[in-house]
mmCIF file of all heavy atoms in Angstrom:
data_model
loop_
_atom_site.group_PDB
_atom_site.id
_atom_site.type_symbol
_atom_site.label_atom_id
_atom_site.label_comp_id
_atom_site.label_asym_id
_atom_site.label_seq_id
_atom_site.Cartn_x
_atom_site.Cartn_y
_atom_site.Cartn_z
ATOM 1 N N LYS A 1 7.986 15.930 12.610
ATOM 2 C CA LYS A 1 7.202 17.128 12.224
ATOM 3 C C LYS A 1 6.707 16.979 10.774
ATOM 4 O O LYS A 1 7.509 16.849 9.870
ATOM 5 C CB LYS A 1 8.048 18.386 12.342
ATOM 6 C CG LYS A 1 7.317 19.650 11.998
ATOM 7 C CD LYS A 1 8.219 20.881 12.131
ATOM 8 C CE LYS A 1 7.464 22.146 11.773
ATOM 9 N NZ LYS A 1 8.340 23.344 11.849
ATOM 10 N N GLU A 2 5.387 17.006 10.602
ATOM 11 C CA GLU A 2 4.814 16.950 9.276
ATOM 12 C C GLU A 2 4.734 18.377 8.730
ATOM 13 O O GLU A 2 4.190 19.287 9.362
ATOM 14 C CB GLU A 2 3.399 16.319 9.370
ATOM 15 C CG GLU A 2 2.833 15.966 8.018
ATOM 16 C CD GLU A 2 1.523 15.192 8.169
ATOM 17 O OE1 GLU A 2 1.566 13.994 8.543
ATOM 18 O OE2 GLU A 2 0.442 15.794 7.936
ATOM 19 N N VAL A 3 5.240 18.555 7.491
ATOM 20 C CA VAL A 3 5.332 19.898 6.927
ATOM 21 C C VAL A 3 4.387 19.987 5.705
ATOM 22 O O VAL A 3 4.002 18.984 5.120
ATOM 23 C CB VAL A 3 6.761 20.275 6.506
ATOM 24 C CG1 VAL A 3 7.683 20.248 7.693
ATOM 25 C CG2 VAL A 3 7.262 19.325 5.399
ATOM 26 N N GLU A 4 4.044 21.223 5.385
ATOM 27 C CA GLU A 4 3.251 21.506 4.182
ATOM 28 C C GLU A 4 4.032 22.498 3.333
ATOM 29 O O GLU A 4 4.346 23.581 3.809
ATOM 30 C CB GLU A 4 1.882 22.060 4.609
ATOM 31 C CG GLU A 4 0.864 21.985 3.502
ATOM 32 C CD GLU A 4 -0.566 22.104 4.019
ATOM 33 O OE1 GLU A 4 -0.955 21.327 4.938
ATOM 34 O OE2 GLU A 4 -1.279 22.970 3.509
ATOM 35 N N VAL A 5 4.285 22.118 2.097
ATOM 36 C CA VAL A 5 5.187 22.904 1.247
ATOM 37 C C VAL A 5 4.399 23.642 0.167
ATOM 38 O O VAL A 5 3.746 22.971 -0.646
ATOM 39 C CB VAL A 5 6.240 22.006 0.631
ATOM 40 C CG1 VAL A 5 7.193 22.821 -0.294
ATOM 41 C CG2 VAL A 5 7.045 21.270 1.706
ATOM 42 N N PRO A 6 4.458 24.975 0.146
ATOM 43 C CA PRO A 6 3.808 25.718 -0.921
ATOM 44 C C PRO A 6 4.732 25.891 -2.104
ATOM 45 O O PRO A 6 5.906 25.647 -2.025
ATOM 46 C CB PRO A 6 3.541 27.065 -0.227
ATOM 47 C CG PRO A 6 4.743 27.241 0.642
ATOM 48 C CD PRO A 6 5.115 25.852 1.151
ATOM 49 N N MET A 7 4.146 26.383 -3.199
ATOM 50 C CA MET A 7 4.953 26.896 -4.304
ATOM 51 C C MET A 7 5.361 28.320 -3.960
ATOM 52 O O MET A 7 4.610 29.023 -3.268
ATOM 53 C CB MET A 7 4.198 26.834 -5.624
ATOM 54 C CG MET A 7 3.939 25.411 -6.121
ATOM 55 S SD MET A 7 3.092 25.338 -7.713
ATOM 56 C CE MET A 7 1.424 25.788 -7.205
ATOM 57 N N TYR A 8 6.507 28.743 -4.452
ATOM 58 C CA TYR A 8 6.999 30.149 -4.200
ATOM 59 C C TYR A 8 6.952 30.890 -5.519
ATOM 60 O O TYR A 8 7.853 30.652 -6.371
ATOM 61 C CB TYR A 8 8.391 30.089 -3.622
ATOM 62 C CG TYR A 8 8.480 29.451 -2.258
ATOM 63 C CD1 TYR A 8 8.592 28.062 -2.132
ATOM 64 C CD2 TYR A 8 8.479 30.223 -1.089
ATOM 65 C CE1 TYR A 8 8.693 27.437 -0.902
ATOM 66 C CE2 TYR A 8 8.576 29.631 0.152
ATOM 67 C CZ TYR A 8 8.683 28.242 0.266
ATOM 68 O OH TYR A 8 8.774 27.643 1.481
ATOM 69 N N ILE A 9 6.004 31.729 -5.723
ATOM 70 C CA ILE A 9 5.806 32.450 -6.986
ATOM 71 C C ILE A 9 5.740 33.920 -6.672
ATOM 72 O O ILE A 9 4.818 34.390 -6.007
ATOM 73 C CB ILE A 9 4.553 31.996 -7.734
ATOM 74 C CG1 ILE A 9 4.548 30.471 -7.974
ATOM 75 C CG2 ILE A 9 4.399 32.779 -9.045
ATOM 76 C CD1 ILE A 9 3.303 29.939 -8.620
ATOM 77 N N GLY A 10 6.735 34.649 -7.165
ATOM 78 C CA GLY A 10 6.804 36.074 -6.824
ATOM 79 C C GLY A 10 6.872 36.272 -5.337
ATOM 80 O O GLY A 10 7.689 35.657 -4.649
ATOM 81 N N SER A 11 5.968 37.074 -4.792
ATOM 82 C CA SER A 11 5.961 37.317 -3.363
ATOM 83 C C SER A 11 5.022 36.365 -2.593
ATOM 84 O O SER A 11 4.878 36.435 -1.391
ATOM 85 C CB SER A 11 5.473 38.775 -3.098
ATOM 86 O OG SER A 11 4.171 38.979 -3.604
ATOM 87 N N GLU A 12 4.387 35.449 -3.329
ATOM 88 C CA GLU A 12 3.359 34.592 -2.754
ATOM 89 C C GLU A 12 3.855 33.181 -2.444
ATOM 90 O O GLU A 12 4.686 32.625 -3.203
ATOM 91 C CB GLU A 12 2.152 34.494 -3.694
ATOM 92 C CG GLU A 12 1.446 35.807 -3.962
ATOM 93 C CD GLU A 12 0.240 35.583 -4.876
ATOM 94 O OE1 GLU A 12 -0.513 34.621 -4.633
ATOM 95 O OE2 GLU A 12 0.052 36.375 -5.817
ATOM 96 N N GLU A 13 3.351 32.646 -1.356
ATOM 97 C CA GLU A 13 3.478 31.203 -1.102
ATOM 98 C C GLU A 13 2.142 30.575 -1.446
ATOM 99 O O GLU A 13 1.138 30.767 -0.792
ATOM 100 C CB GLU A 13 3.836 30.930 0.353
ATOM 101 C CG GLU A 13 5.200 31.478 0.752
ATOM 102 C CD GLU A 13 5.613 31.129 2.159
ATOM 103 O OE1 GLU A 13 4.860 30.355 2.848
ATOM 104 O OE2 GLU A 13 6.668 31.619 2.632
ATOM 105 N N VAL A 14 2.155 29.852 -2.589
ATOM 106 C CA VAL A 14 0.910 29.452 -3.225
ATOM 107 C C VAL A 14 0.516 28.016 -2.806
ATOM 108 O O VAL A 14 1.320 27.104 -2.944
ATOM 109 C CB VAL A 14 1.025 29.516 -4.758
ATOM 110 C CG1 VAL A 14 -0.222 29.031 -5.439
ATOM 111 C CG2 VAL A 14 1.378 30.953 -5.194
ATOM 112 N N THR A 15 -0.696 27.875 -2.303
ATOM 113 C CA THR A 15 -1.233 26.579 -2.005
ATOM 114 C C THR A 15 -2.431 26.331 -2.912
ATOM 115 O O THR A 15 -3.153 27.244 -3.275
ATOM 116 C CB THR A 15 -1.663 26.459 -0.506
ATOM 117 O OG1 THR A 15 -2.616 27.490 -0.217
ATOM 118 C CG2 THR A 15 -0.479 26.645 0.396
ATOM 119 N N THR A 16 -2.620 25.053 -3.288
ATOM 120 C CA THR A 16 -3.699 24.722 -4.214
ATOM 121 C C THR A 16 -4.731 23.747 -3.632
ATOM 122 O O THR A 16 -5.812 23.612 -4.210
ATOM 123 C CB THR A 16 -3.124 24.050 -5.464
ATOM 124 O OG1 THR A 16 -2.498 22.800 -5.105
ATOM 125 C CG2 THR A 16 -2.080 24.951 -6.133
ATOM 126 N N GLY A 17 -4.375 23.100 -2.565
ATOM 127 C CA GLY A 17 -5.273 22.078 -2.009
ATOM 128 C C GLY A 17 -5.078 20.711 -2.649
ATOM 129 O O GLY A 17 -5.511 19.692 -2.121
ATOM 130 N N ASN A 18 -4.347 20.653 -3.765
ATOM 131 C CA ASN A 18 -4.038 19.385 -4.385
ATOM 132 C C ASN A 18 -2.690 18.896 -3.819
ATOM 133 O O ASN A 18 -1.626 19.131 -4.378
ATOM 134 C CB ASN A 18 -3.909 19.567 -5.921
ATOM 135 C CG ASN A 18 -3.694 18.233 -6.651
ATOM 136 O OD1 ASN A 18 -3.965 17.176 -6.104
ATOM 137 N ND2 ASN A 18 -3.203 18.313 -7.878
ATOM 138 N N LYS A 19 -2.820 18.214 -2.714
ATOM 139 C CA LYS A 19 -1.638 17.871 -1.895
ATOM 140 C C LYS A 19 -1.111 16.474 -2.245
ATOM 141 O O LYS A 19 -1.893 15.512 -2.333
ATOM 142 C CB LYS A 19 -1.925 17.977 -0.412
ATOM 143 C CG LYS A 19 -2.301 19.405 0.008
ATOM 144 C CD LYS A 19 -2.288 19.563 1.499
ATOM 145 C CE LYS A 19 -3.421 18.849 2.190
ATOM 146 N NZ LYS A 19 -3.463 19.165 3.654
ATOM 147 N N ILE A 20 0.229 16.396 -2.394
ATOM 148 C CA ILE A 20 0.907 15.151 -2.673
ATOM 149 C C ILE A 20 1.828 14.813 -1.511
ATOM 150 O O ILE A 20 2.598 15.683 -1.057
ATOM 151 C CB ILE A 20 1.687 15.222 -3.994
ATOM 152 C CG1 ILE A 20 0.728 15.434 -5.196
ATOM 153 C CG2 ILE A 20 2.538 13.967 -4.217
ATOM 154 C CD1 ILE A 20 1.382 15.569 -6.518
ATOM 155 N N ALA A 21 1.730 13.591 -1.051
ATOM 156 C CA ALA A 21 2.536 13.166 0.124
ATOM 157 C C ALA A 21 3.965 13.038 -0.208
ATOM 158 O O ALA A 21 4.364 12.572 -1.310
ATOM 159 C CB ALA A 21 1.974 11.881 0.690
ATOM 160 N N MET A 22 4.836 13.388 0.763
ATOM 161 C CA MET A 22 6.276 13.138 0.671
ATOM 162 C C MET A 22 6.621 12.080 1.702
ATOM 163 O O MET A 22 6.389 12.236 2.902
ATOM 164 C CB MET A 22 7.027 14.458 0.969
ATOM 165 C CG MET A 22 6.709 15.584 -0.008
ATOM 166 S SD MET A 22 7.590 17.147 0.382
ATOM 167 C CE MET A 22 6.681 17.611 1.886
ATOM 168 N N THR A 23 7.228 10.966 1.214
ATOM 169 C CA THR A 23 7.521 9.852 2.080
ATOM 170 C C THR A 23 8.980 9.446 1.921
ATOM 171 O O THR A 23 9.524 9.519 0.825
ATOM 172 C CB THR A 23 6.631 8.639 1.760
ATOM 173 O OG1 THR A 23 6.859 8.238 0.404
ATOM 174 C CG2 THR A 23 5.157 8.998 1.927
ATOM 175 N N PRO A 24 9.623 8.997 3.000
ATOM 176 C CA PRO A 24 10.999 8.518 2.897
ATOM 177 C C PRO A 24 11.068 7.260 2.021
ATOM 178 O O PRO A 24 10.261 6.328 2.231
ATOM 179 C CB PRO A 24 11.431 8.227 4.314
ATOM 180 C CG PRO A 24 10.430 8.910 5.172
ATOM 181 C CD PRO A 24 9.144 8.935 4.390
ATOM 182 N N PRO A 25 12.019 7.179 1.090
ATOM 183 C CA PRO A 25 12.137 5.949 0.270
ATOM 184 C C PRO A 25 12.413 4.710 1.122
ATOM 185 O O PRO A 25 12.009 3.593 0.715
ATOM 186 C CB PRO A 25 13.301 6.264 -0.667
ATOM 187 C CG PRO A 25 13.326 7.744 -0.755
ATOM 188 C CD PRO A 25 12.915 8.234 0.595
ATOM 189 N N HIS A 26 13.040 4.894 2.256
ATOM 190 C CA HIS A 26 13.364 3.767 3.118
ATOM 191 C C HIS A 26 12.240 3.426 4.081
ATOM 192 O O HIS A 26 12.362 2.430 4.834
ATOM 193 C CB HIS A 26 14.654 4.041 3.865
ATOM 194 C CG HIS A 26 14.659 5.366 4.617
ATOM 195 N ND1 HIS A 26 15.020 6.526 4.001
ATOM 196 C CD2 HIS A 26 14.290 5.688 5.903
ATOM 197 C CE1 HIS A 26 14.920 7.531 4.888
ATOM 198 N NE2 HIS A 26 14.461 7.062 6.021
ATOM 199 N N ASP A 27 11.173 4.194 4.102
ATOM 200 C CA ASP A 27 10.057 3.970 5.030
ATOM 201 C C ASP A 27 8.822 4.591 4.372
ATOM 202 O O ASP A 27 8.311 5.596 4.834
ATOM 203 C CB ASP A 27 10.361 4.571 6.375
ATOM 204 C CG ASP A 27 9.300 4.238 7.414
ATOM 205 O OD1 ASP A 27 8.408 3.419 7.124
ATOM 206 O OD2 ASP A 27 9.366 4.823 8.543
ATOM 207 N N HIS A 28 8.346 3.966 3.278
ATOM 208 C CA HIS A 28 7.365 4.631 2.428
ATOM 209 C C HIS A 28 5.983 4.744 3.017
ATOM 210 O O HIS A 28 5.104 5.374 2.436
ATOM 211 C CB HIS A 28 7.347 3.971 1.045
ATOM 212 C CG HIS A 28 7.168 2.496 1.061
ATOM 213 N ND1 HIS A 28 6.060 1.837 1.569
ATOM 214 C CD2 HIS A 28 8.002 1.520 0.580
ATOM 215 C CE1 HIS A 28 6.195 0.528 1.420
ATOM 216 N NE2 HIS A 28 7.355 0.302 0.822
ATOM 217 N N LYS A 29 5.774 4.142 4.182
ATOM 218 C CA LYS A 29 4.453 4.320 4.840
ATOM 219 C C LYS A 29 4.423 5.500 5.767
ATOM 220 O O LYS A 29 3.360 5.922 6.254
ATOM 221 C CB LYS A 29 4.077 3.016 5.610
ATOM 222 C CG LYS A 29 3.810 1.823 4.711
ATOM 223 C CD LYS A 29 3.398 0.610 5.529
ATOM 224 C CE LYS A 29 3.010 -0.558 4.584
ATOM 225 N NZ LYS A 29 4.092 -0.999 3.732
ATOM 226 N N HIS A 30 5.602 6.103 6.052
ATOM 227 C CA HIS A 30 5.690 7.287 6.902
ATOM 228 C C HIS A 30 5.570 8.548 6.052
ATOM 229 O O HIS A 30 6.175 8.640 4.976
ATOM 230 C CB HIS A 30 7.015 7.307 7.668
ATOM 231 C CG HIS A 30 7.163 8.507 8.528
ATOM 232 N ND1 HIS A 30 6.496 8.645 9.728
ATOM 233 C CD2 HIS A 30 7.851 9.646 8.363
ATOM 234 C CE1 HIS A 30 6.802 9.819 10.258
ATOM 235 N NE2 HIS A 30 7.614 10.424 9.471
ATOM 236 N N VAL A 31 4.783 9.503 6.465
ATOM 237 C CA VAL A 31 4.571 10.745 5.746
ATOM 238 C C VAL A 31 5.335 11.897 6.393
ATOM 239 O O VAL A 31 5.120 12.199 7.559
ATOM 240 C CB VAL A 31 3.057 11.106 5.648
ATOM 241 C CG1 VAL A 31 2.869 12.441 4.926
ATOM 242 C CG2 VAL A 31 2.326 10.002 4.879
ATOM 243 N N LEU A 32 6.246 12.477 5.619
ATOM 244 C CA LEU A 32 7.003 13.647 6.115
ATOM 245 C C LEU A 32 6.202 14.939 5.960
ATOM 246 O O LEU A 32 6.455 15.909 6.672
ATOM 247 C CB LEU A 32 8.305 13.763 5.298
ATOM 248 C CG LEU A 32 9.300 12.645 5.460
ATOM 249 C CD1 LEU A 32 10.401 12.806 4.394
ATOM 250 C CD2 LEU A 32 9.915 12.605 6.862
#
């Protein structure tokens, strides 16, 4: 499952569109 993580500020889940990939250190070509 590929997830998208927002920032949590006050009551808002904030998205910016400036997305950075999260990858396992043991399999850095796979995107979590």
Side-chain angles (χ1 to χ4, degrees):
K1 183 180 179 182
E2 192 173 285
V3 299
E4 197 162 307
V5 180
M7 292 182 286
Y8 296 83
I9 303 176
S11 61
E12 298 182 43
E13 295 185 6
V14 178
T15 57
T16 65
N18 184 19
K19 297 194 290 186
I20 296 179
M22 299 177 290
T23 60
H26 51 274
D27 186 7
H28 50 63
K29 293 182 175 62
H30 179 76
V31 177
L32 295 169

